[in-house]
Amino acid sequence: MSKGYGNRKNKNIVLQLEFEESDSTHFEAVTFHYGGEIHNDKDNDIKSVQKMTSDSLYVVDSPHSLLESFRDPESKEQKEWKETLDHTKNQHLDYMWRNWIKEAAINTDNYYFVPLTSIVDYATKPLTGLTQDETDRVIGQLWEGLYKNYILPIANAEKITNHTMPLILIDKNNDHLIVLFRNDQNQLEKLIQQI
């Protein structure tokens, strides 16, 4: 799964996954890299190193054109495909997230909405009303909860079917955040984290 584990000279981690997709699509990935905690007994301070990265790939698989992929559209056709795939994805996510919010009885006026793939933006931009250090702490705790409640169950599942990207709702008063997603039994999960 990874190359260079334990080799201090190699700072790259390589992960390869194989899966089938039979249609044109937009793949998105977000990673969270975490380096251990250092405890300072003098001022009860805990420090860690963390970094988020993301990547995206558009794959066009159409009977009317050759199979191709791109990250950033260069041709007119690629721009049209990007627009079409983004529109389709956004319609699907909007529909699913509206249903989740309704089922969870959440007042949307009280929250900012952040798709999981957009959380990487806060690696260099603080959450509204917070410092970058406070934001880093919140994001680190968010990833801990996601790892335990979302990533591990998917990683341990025998078969992954139709997972829709989680939605993060950040309270406008910086009191808490909520993560909504459906688990493998198609039940709505609602994780709440204090900010």
Side-chain angles (χ1 to χ4, degrees):
M1 194 181 318
S2 65
K3 291 182 180 178
Y5 181 78
N7 180 347
R8 294 177 190 256
K9 292 181 182 179
N10 186 347
K11 295 180 182 179
N12 297 323
I13 297 174
V14 177
L15 174 66
Q16 287 185 303
L17 299 172
E18 291 184 22
F19 52 93
E20 290 185 30
E21 179 61 47
S22 60
D23 203 359
S24 298
T25 195
H26 179 205
F27 295 101
E28 295 178 276
V30 177
T31 62
F32 180 72
H33 312 271
Y34 179 78
E37 295 181 347
I38 299 171
H39 298 262
N40 183 344
D41 293 332
K42 182 180 176 184
D43 55 8
N44 261 351
D45 198 20
I46 300 174
K47 297 201 183 240
S48 61
V49 176
Q50 61 189 40
K51 181 170 177 71
M52 289 186 287
T53 59
S54 64
D55 201 359
S56 170
L57 183 69
Y58 291 88
V59 176
V60 178
D61 185 5
S62 168
H64 307 293
S65 64
L66 295 174
L67 179 68
E68 71 172 313
S69 64
F70 58 90
R71 284 184 170 76
D72 298 308
E74 295 176 3
S75 68
K76 179 183 175 195
E77 291 79 19
Q78 287 180 348
K79 288 176 185 174
E80 289 172 356
W81 272 109
K82 178 187 182 311
E83 187 176 302
T84 299
L85 293 172
D86 286 348
H87 178 74
T88 302
K89 174 190 71 178
N90 291 336
Q91 272 190 321
H92 171 74
L93 290 174
D94 186 57
Y95 174 78
M96 296 300 291
W97 291 341
R98 283 180 190 271
N99 287 334
W100 296 353
I101 289 167
K102 184 178 179 182
E103 185 178 337
I106 295 173
N107 181 351
T108 58
D109 294 337
N110 298 332
Y111 296 92
Y112 300 111
F113 303 98
V114 181
L116 178 60
T117 54
S118 296
I119 203 71
V120 72
D121 296 343
Y122 296 102
T124 57
K125 175 183 85 172
L127 292 164
T128 303
L130 299 181
T131 66
Q132 190 62 54
D133 283 344
E134 291 169 331
T135 298
D136 292 345
R137 178 187 51 77
V138 169
I139 298 300
Q141 291 171 342
L142 170 65
W143 277 107
E144 285 180 38
L146 285 169
Y147 183 74
K148 177 182 174 188
N149 298 289
Y150 179 71
I151 296 169
L152 279 180
I154 289 174
N156 293 326
E158 289 185 27
K159 185 176 181 182
I160 300 171
T161 57
N162 290 331
H163 271 280
T164 299
M165 181 188 339
L167 177 64
I168 302 163
L169 298 95
I170 301 172
D171 176 62
K172 290 181 179 178
N173 294 319
N174 288 332
D175 177 68
H176 64 280
L177 61 81
I178 299 172
V179 181
L180 296 176
F181 63 92
R182 290 220 177 266
N183 63 24
D184 285 339
Q185 290 77 42
N186 202 31
Q187 297 167 324
L188 183 65
E189 296 277 349
K190 179 181 175 182
L191 307 179
I192 300 174
Q193 173 187 321
Q194 296 302 309
I195 293 178

